[in-house]
Amino acid sequence: MPANIVLAVFFDNYLEFKILFRNFRRMVLENLALFLRIAEKGGMAAAGREMGLSPASVSERLAALEKYYGATLLARTTRAVSLTEAGRQLAEGARRLLAEADELEASIRLGTQKISGPIRFSAPEDLGRRRIVPIVDAFLEEHDAVSIDLNLTDGNVDLVSQGLDFAIRHGVLADSSLRARPLGGNRRVVCASPAYLAAHGEPRHPDELAGHDCIVMRFGQELDREWPFQVDGRPHKVLVRGRRVANDGGLVRQWACEGRGIALKSIRDIDADLASGALVEVLGGYASSATALQIVYAPSTVLPRRVRMLMDRIALALG
């Protein structure tokens, strides 16, 4: 066979191989993205609806992924799915891989000066509405190819299972597997409206809170009934009670401003109310030590440039 014909056949086969390999690589990445969405949503049907796929297509693509890795990735029941050990390992690696692929594509397609893609994070309710949302709005105005998925909650969300890039949290970092970026000092303030104090009197000692209607925060499944103080230089906790319990810090603040009871709030949430006189700090001489405000994220997560830029913007504004 003439050499030119051999080269032509080889070249055609090479191009066909390149196309097949590129399509295979894209299929694996798409299936990994689907797998992560199933893990985040806790079900195949919900993930399929969000990605516009039929139940049969979701099952087929998940089966292809499990066949490719030679492992069962999801434990299925009639009500829900959960990750197997192999599935947890793949989810962790897939997030890094997809983030790096997305970052590479954006830098090549759009250039190094432009960012694109989604950012998913959570923040406390009250702080989120008052301080974070304006930062997000300004960020989106500057970067038209970026989208934001903001989860406002006063509970601690599992970053990995929910597929979040980071979270803004009050208090000490309970999960030592996470990394933290400090956002400056913060303290919690016992406060009430002038109207409430006029009607019920102002407590002069933390123990007097037992005779007051206190507004209690719920963090996930935990009720924040033990309020911390310093008495004679020592930690002193008081068990409070009240007729109002809420998992929304903004609602707790609203009730306090309306004179519904005494609340324990972050100073960053009520600084404007204290300045205007809508709320008054009480028991300030017994205030407990300052607590942290921080950005937390999984150490195994590759943070795309768009995520790092938003984190920098938040740190600059709040720090």
Side-chain angles (χ1 to χ4, degrees):
M1 181 180 295
N4 61 333
I5 296 179
V6 172
L7 288 174
V9 172
F10 173 80
F11 186 69
D12 288 343
N13 290 338
Y14 173 71
L15 289 178
E16 183 177 351
F17 173 79
K18 281 189 65 177
I19 294 171
L20 289 173
F21 179 75
R22 184 169 60 248
N23 290 339
F24 173 75
R25 183 177 58 186
R26 184 173 63 249
M27 179 191 69
V28 171
L29 291 176
E30 290 173 351
N31 288 350
L32 286 175
L34 172 62
F35 169 68
L36 286 180
R37 195 60 55 87
I38 293 172
E40 293 164 8
K41 295 296 180 181
M44 298 170 62
R49 284 194 299 270
E50 188 161 309
M51 299 188 71
L53 298 172
S54 68
S57 179
V58 172
S59 297
E60 180 181 333
R61 291 173 62 171
L62 179 61
L65 200 61
E66 291 184 323
K67 182 179 180 181
Y68 175 74
Y69 286 105
T72 301
L73 303 175
L74 295 174
R76 303 166 179 82
T77 67
T78 55
R79 294 186 177 181
V81 297
S82 59
L83 294 176
T84 63
E85 183 58 38
R88 282 190 288 272
Q89 184 179 355
L90 179 62
E92 184 176 312
R95 284 191 179 91
R96 292 197 303 268
L97 178 63
L98 291 171
E100 290 172 346
D102 182 54
E103 183 88 345
L104 178 62
E105 179 183 356
S107 65
I108 294 175
R109 183 165 51 87
L110 301 174
T112 57
Q113 301 304 314
K114 189 175 179 66
I115 58 173
S116 69
I119 303 175
R120 304 180 66 191
F121 71 106
S122 73
E125 294 266 4
D126 210 1
L127 180 74
R129 288 191 177 94
R130 294 182 64 248
R131 302 293 298 275
I132 303 302
V133 168
I135 298 171
V136 165
D137 289 341
F139 192 81
L140 290 176
E141 285 290 330
E142 296 174 16
H143 306 287
D144 58 5
V146 171
S147 64
I148 298 288
D149 185 342
L150 174 56
N151 179 9
L152 292 179
T153 175
D154 286 311
N156 285 348
V157 179
D158 187 309
L159 301 183
V160 175
S161 65
Q162 296 299 313
L164 299 180
D165 296 302
F166 65 92
I168 300 171
R169 292 181 183 172
H170 291 296
V172 178
L173 184 60
D175 188 347
S176 60
S177 67
L178 298 177
R179 289 182 179 174
R181 178 173 180 175
L183 294 177
N186 184 44
R187 68 183 181 96
R188 301 178 77 191
V189 175
V190 180
C191 58
S193 71
Y196 176 89
L197 297 177
H200 303 280
E202 181 176 344
R204 301 299 178 182
H205 188 279
D207 291 340
E208 293 181 17
L209 289 173
H212 284 269
D213 198 357
C214 295
I215 306 170
V216 178
M217 269 291 299
R218 179 189 295 279
F219 296 98
Q221 300 299 317
E222 301 295 326
L223 290 180
D224 188 29
R225 290 191 183 277
E226 283 192 339
W227 291 4
F229 295 93
Q230 290 282 330
V231 176
D232 297 329
R234 296 183 178 181
H236 182 80
K237 290 187 176 182
V238 174
L239 184 65
V240 301
R241 292 178 174 82
R243 295 181 298 154
R244 286 176 168 81
V245 176
N247 66 345
D248 184 332
L251 179 56
V252 170
R253 170 176 164 268
Q254 175 186 324
W255 278 340
C257 290
E258 292 172 351
R260 310 294 185 182
I262 297 178
L264 179 63
K265 288 289 296 176
S266 164
I267 186 67
R268 291 176 181 254
D269 294 340
I270 62 167
D271 51 359
D273 299 313
L274 293 175
S276 69
L279 291 175
V280 176
E281 180 176 2
V282 298
L283 299 171
Y286 299 95
S288 61
S289 58
T291 60
L293 181 66
Q294 53 203 345
I295 293 175
V296 299
Y297 56 97
S300 59
T301 301
V302 175
L303 297 176
R305 181 166 169 260
R306 61 182 180 275
V307 175
R308 299 195 303 271
M309 288 177 63
L310 179 58
M311 289 170 59
D312 289 343
R313 180 71 62 86
I314 294 171
L316 180 63
L318 299 185

